[in-house]
Structures are given as structure tokens and as C-alpha cells.
Amino acid sequence: MNLSGTRSLFPILSSHIHLASCSQGAIAKLVSTAIDEYHKSLVLNGSNWVAALERAGQARAIFAELIGAEKEEIAILCSVSDVFSSIVSSFSDHQNRKEIVFTDSDFPTIGHILYAQEKYKNHFSIIRSSSNGIPLEEYENKVTEKTLLTSLVSFYTKNASKTEKILKEKKIIVSARKDVIRNAPHFYNTKDEIQNALDELSLVVNSD
């Protein structure tokens, strides 16, 4: 994959560092065109269910080839929460790895989905946050060779909305949820971008 060529397909990446790729990431030129075509088809032809399924099948085939999978192994779901639920519910039984570590600052559906898994109900290890956030040492203590899954996408800050606004002024897009900042990099983010974002984030948070 040519990362530079791929990044050129996402207009916003020419001016911003986009780290808000949750269920809705940066939009690509090809996706914008496809949305326009789909809308035009609905306006001119009404229902186009068959055509929509064909395009979804093409997308599955292309993604399968990209990761070395079969088309039949690829499922298209509407959100990260749907994907997470599918992944967790499909885990086979591991004799030596059953512990699931997550925090009380994770996106709410993480906990909701995990608690719905009956076979793991006695194997949860929850890292509690404090006014100072979650020290890295907590992860070091909780995550062991018995850990099957852990989660880390967000962190606390005193004023998440203010932090989000300051970072956006610096052309860095993150997502503020109450008193939490969520970082969600995607394949199109470079190491330099992520490091730059972390450096700026550190400056903003430590200046409060």
C-alpha cells in the first residue's frame, strides 16, 4: 500500500491531523462520489436495494484482498460498537487466557457489551480512574499473560471541550466526550502525526 497516495484520497489530511476515526472517520474522495451517486440513484430510480448489495459485496471483496482474507470472512457493520460486540461474542474458550481488562473511562458500550458475555462475567478486571486519570502502572499491574482482551482509547482531562477546541485550532481533530478525550487513529495516520498530536496534547493538558 502506498501510504502517501492513499492519504491524498482524504482531503482533510492535507490540513489536519485526524485522530477522531471512531465510527465516523475522515471521508475519502471516492466515498463522497459514491454517496452522491447513491443519492442520485434514489432520487431518479427509487429503491436500489440490489445495486446497494452489489456495491457492498464489491467493498467486501476489495477489503478481503487487502488483508489476505476471503470475501465470505468479511462483514460490514454500521458502527464500532457492533463490531466490538461481534468480536467479543465470537471468542473461543481459552483455558489460560480469560481475563478482560477495561476501565471506567472507556466508551460506555464497551462495558455494556462485555457484561452481556455470560462466560466472562467472573473474569473482569476494571481499572478505576481518579481525578488524576489512570496511571500507566495500573495497566502494568492488571494486564498479564492471562489477559485475553484490554481496551484503551480515551483519557481524562480537566476540561475536555476546551482541550478539543485548542487542538482543533492547531489542526488536530480529536473527540471530547464529557470529561474524556478520545483518540482513535486510523491506517492513514503516520507515526510523526501521532507523535505531534501527543506532544501538543501534553502541552495543552499540562498548561491547565
Side-chain angles (χ1 to χ4, degrees):
M1 177 188 295
N2 184 325
L3 183 58
S4 177
T6 301
R7 284 174 56 84
S8 68
L9 297 175
F10 298 83
I12 197 168
L13 299 185
S14 65
S15 58
H16 291 71
I17 296 175
H18 196 289
L19 295 177
S21 300
C22 303
S23 294
Q24 183 180 31
I27 192 165
K29 295 175 183 177
L30 295 175
V31 175
S32 295
T33 300
I35 290 173
D36 289 341
E37 291 176 353
Y38 182 68
H39 179 261
K40 186 182 296 183
S41 175
L42 288 174
V43 171
L44 298 177
N45 304 316
S47 176
N48 56 4
W49 181 247
V50 174
L53 288 181
E54 288 177 351
R55 293 299 293 270
Q58 292 170 9
R60 289 170 59 213
I62 293 171
F63 185 74
E65 182 179 359
L66 181 66
I67 65 172
E70 298 296 329
K71 176 182 174 181
E72 291 70 24
E73 297 177 279
I74 306 301
I76 297 178
L77 299 174
C78 64
S79 71
V80 173
S81 297
D82 275 352
V83 173
F84 183 69
S85 178
S86 298
I87 291 173
V88 173
S89 62
S90 66
F91 280 148
S92 57
D93 189 29
H94 293 264
Q95 278 191 324
N96 300 320
R97 298 176 62 196
K98 293 185 178 181
E99 298 294 326
I100 294 180
V101 180
F102 61 104
T103 80
D104 59 4
S105 65
D106 284 319
F107 193 63
T109 52
I110 297 293
H112 295 163
I113 291 167
L114 289 174
Y115 274 106
Q117 311 303 313
E118 184 72 17
K119 62 183 177 181
Y120 296 119
K121 68 177 183 179
N122 297 319
H123 301 282
F124 294 143
S125 183
I126 304 174
I127 300 176
R128 302 293 180 183
S129 57
S130 66
S131 58
N132 295 320
I134 300 174
L136 183 60
E137 292 77 14
E138 288 293 323
Y139 274 94
E140 293 175 344
N141 292 333
K142 296 283 188 180
V143 178
T144 70
E145 67 277 1
K146 295 182 179 180
T147 302
L148 175 65
L149 178 72
T150 190
S151 172
L152 174 62
V153 295
S154 57
F155 61 90
Y156 278 102
T157 184
K158 293 179 181 178
N159 192 326
S161 295
K162 178 183 176 182
T163 300
E164 180 188 37
K165 182 179 179 181
I166 293 173
L167 289 175
K168 193 165 187 178
E169 290 172 353
K170 295 175 180 289
K171 308 297 184 182
I172 299 172
I173 301 174
V174 294
S175 179
R177 308 291 176 91
K178 293 186 178 180
D179 52 355
V180 166
I181 290 289
R182 295 184 66 200
N183 285 323
H186 209 340
F187 75 95
Y188 46 61
N189 292 118
T190 66
K191 290 182 180 179
D192 288 342
E193 277 189 335
I194 295 173
Q195 186 60 57
N196 181 28
L198 290 175
D199 291 343
E200 292 289 351
L201 182 58
S202 178
L203 289 174
V204 173
V205 171
N206 292 326
S207 67
D208 285 344

